[in-house]
Amino acid sequence: SMGSKCSVYLCNIIPLLLTRLKKNDTDNMITNVFIRSIAQLAAIVGTHIRPFSNEIMEIAHHLWLCNTFLRLSILELAEAMAH
């Protein structure tokens, strides 16, 4: 599986995605793409995403409260993080 091989790049990829999500100045469609991308990465790398899980879920919680459009993607992200 590619999961463990990809995990070495998480420290380069995840912070960039999270920084972009924190700015929250992007439109809903782009934010949705970022959330789904993180969910896909979580599904691929499995437990290697754990060092980022607190920050990911804090941002997801903030977006959940601010934007109902994103809730389905946020639920998918939470599900991917749980596995």
Side-chain angles (χ1 to χ4, degrees):
S1 137
M2 190 70 170
S4 60
K5 294 176 185 174
C6 296
S7 64
V8 296
Y9 301 107
L10 289 178
C11 62
N12 296 323
I13 298 167
I14 297 293
L16 293 173
L17 291 171
L18 296 180
T19 298
R20 189 67 175 151
L21 285 174
K22 283 181 194 176
K23 287 184 180 182
N24 205 18
D25 62 354
T26 58
D27 66 44
N28 285 338
M29 296 304 284
I30 302 247
T31 302
N32 195 40
V33 168
F34 287 141
I35 292 169
R36 287 178 180 259
S37 296
I38 295 170
Q40 289 172 343
L41 282 171
I44 292 168
V45 301
T47 59
H48 296 286
I49 198 96
R50 283 189 184 162
F52 306 99
S53 61
N54 285 342
E55 189 174 6
I56 291 170
M57 296 315 291
E58 285 174 12
I59 293 169
H61 180 255
H62 172 74
L63 292 171
W64 179 274
L65 296 175
C66 296
N67 195 329
T68 58
F69 174 80
L70 300 171
R71 287 188 176 173
L72 179 60
S73 295
I74 293 169
L75 283 174
E76 291 170 358
L77 171 62
E79 182 180 19
M81 297 285 294
H83 290 277

